[in-house]
Amino acid sequence: MIHSLPITGKTQIYGIIGYPVTHTFSPLIQNAAFQAIQADAVYLAFEVHPDKLPAAIEGIRSLQVCGINVTVPHKINVVPHLDEVTATAQRIGAVNTIKNQDGRLIGTNTDGQGFIRSLSELPFIPQNKTIVILGAGGSARSILVALAEAKAEQISLVNRTISKSQQLVDEFSPIFPETQLRTEQLENLHNISIDLLVNTTSVGMDGDKSPADLNEFKMVQHVADIIYTPQQTPLLKQAKQLNIPCINGLGMLLYQGCEAFEFWTQQKAPIALMKTTLMQLLK
Ligand code: NAP
């Protein structure tokens, strides 16, 4: 898509930093959103080598870039360079969105909230629910925080490397005393009633393997797989066969972008347009 509004002396600059970054969908989605609200703004992708991260952050300040998304591998390392981070980003320990507010760089993390918003498509409300998260990596961390902030009753973490899931439980149990957090083996969960099973591992990206066999569980009410390529992982195919309501990771991807847009502009994101743009990119 071409930026159809004229670039002027006042055009505001937004963008994304990552390494690599050329694969990102964000410029097309965010530029479509800026056009929809008639903003004099443009969103670009900047490839920033890890060694150049401090200089890139200084560049945001000196060039008065208005807003930046942060992607792999900079989400954690960017934090000490900012003036302020939201409570959620602080808990997650990673930032994916920066706003330049009169020279002060404020970081937040919209991944977890993007996931929570995507659950409305099921629909599913986490409060008082029993949830199982497969995986204990970066996205599990932001989803765990968001589900606990949304007052889930119990969250069990299942991970190949148990020390990593245990570390999350140890870190977050004191912060979220109202949510029971524990690390579990998958087999021990077969006989409980699970309101939501979330896959945050990369198992299923090959279109072949599944991180869990849903036939082995007594009761799984909803399934969310945050993988979005392929759109139908083996786990989601099985959920469909068993008539379990399920969603893939496209909603999380879309809504984390909507949340970033709203954090920058204080305006409601044009969700339908952003979704259509994303779907066209994935065709
Ligand atoms: P990450 O930090 O590298 O974590 C990967 C997780 O997958 C770890 O828990 C890892 O277990 C587990 N894992 C990897 N290979 C495995 C295997 N063969 N068997 C069992 N477990 C395995 O990655 P991430 O950033 O959290 O991303 C994970 C997935 O989420 C990716 O597929 C990514 O595309 C997707 N994602 C989606 C969105 C979205 O917006 N929808 C956003 C971010 C990420 P160990 O700890 O044992 O290594």
Side-chain angles (χ1 to χ4, degrees):
M1 198 182 300
I2 292 162
H3 189 259
S4 61
L5 290 173
I7 304 279
T8 70
K10 293 186 197 147
T11 300
Q12 297 186 318
I13 299 171
Y14 291 82
I16 180 166
I17 56 171
Y19 191 83
V21 80
T22 45
H23 63 281
T24 178
F25 298 142
S26 297
L28 284 156
I29 297 168
Q30 297 292 354
N31 280 317
F34 282 129
Q35 280 178 35
I37 66 161
Q38 295 277 300
D40 185 4
V42 65
Y43 183 108
L44 302 164
F46 301 105
E47 190 157 88
V48 174
H49 187 276
D51 293 347
K52 299 283 184 207
L53 182 64
I57 304 297
E58 268 322 294
I60 294 171
R61 292 182 200 279
S62 51
L63 299 176
Q64 296 177 44
V65 172
C66 297
I68 282 285
N69 281 134
V70 183
T71 189
V72 180
H74 302 311
K75 287 185 183 188
I76 296 170
N77 293 340
V78 79
V79 174
H81 298 282
L82 306 178
D83 298 305
E84 195 180 318
V85 292
T86 59
T88 298
Q90 215 156 18
R91 283 171 178 160
I92 298 169
V95 155
N96 79 337
T97 306
I98 301 169
K99 173 161 67 176
N100 186 346
Q101 197 165 286
D102 305 321
R104 280 180 65 74
L105 299 188
I106 305 167
T108 192
N109 193 312
T110 67
D111 284 336
Q113 209 44 48
F115 174 74
I116 298 286
R117 269 173 85 167
S118 76
L119 294 176
S120 65
E121 291 176 8
L122 282 169
F124 181 84
I125 294 167
Q127 187 165 12
N128 299 329
K129 300 292 192 334
T130 297
I131 296 168
V132 172
I133 298 178
L134 308 178
S139 41
R141 202 178 158 84
S142 46
I143 287 172
L144 167 67
V145 167
L147 288 170
E149 285 178 346
K151 301 195 179 342
E153 184 170 302
Q154 187 181 312
I155 303 175
S156 300
L157 293 172
V158 178
N159 196 44
R160 178 178 60 180
T161 312
I162 295 173
S163 58
K164 286 194 197 163
S165 43
Q166 188 59 49
Q167 199 207 319
L168 290 184
V169 169
D170 294 345
E171 182 178 344
F172 289 113
S173 291
I175 297 171
F176 298 111
E178 285 168 26
T179 301
Q180 251 186 68
L181 299 179
R182 60 187 198 201
T183 183
E184 269 296 359
Q185 305 276 12
L186 206 51
E187 309 81 82
N188 296 341
L189 299 169
H190 287 163
N191 287 318
I192 67 162
S193 180
I194 298 166
D195 296 310
L196 174 69
L197 178 83
V198 187
N199 177 41
T200 73
T201 75
S202 41
V203 180
M205 287 187 83
D206 59 0
D208 192 32
K209 289 188 214 67
S210 181
D213 181 355
L214 297 172
N215 279 315
E216 290 177 343
F217 292 84
K218 187 176 101 184
M219 174 73 81
V220 176
Q221 304 271 17
H222 303 88
V223 172
D225 194 332
I226 68 161
I227 292 173
Y228 55 87
T229 45
Q231 291 179 40
Q232 290 296 319
T233 59
L235 180 69
L236 292 179
K237 281 185 189 151
Q238 192 183 32
K240 281 224 166 98
Q241 276 165 8
L242 296 171
N243 286 322
I244 301 172
C246 58
I247 50 167
N248 63 19
L250 280 177
M252 177 173 169
L253 182 67
L254 170 71
Y255 289 111
Q256 61 81 24
C258 293
E259 289 272 322
F261 182 88
E262 289 168 1
F263 184 64
W264 292 324
T265 64
Q266 308 295 321
Q267 293 197 45
K268 241 177 126 36
I271 297 170
L273 173 75
M274 292 169 85
K275 189 172 187 173
T276 312
T277 308
L278 178 61
M279 296 315 286
Q280 277 169 357
L281 288 167
L282 289 164
K283 263 190 196 157

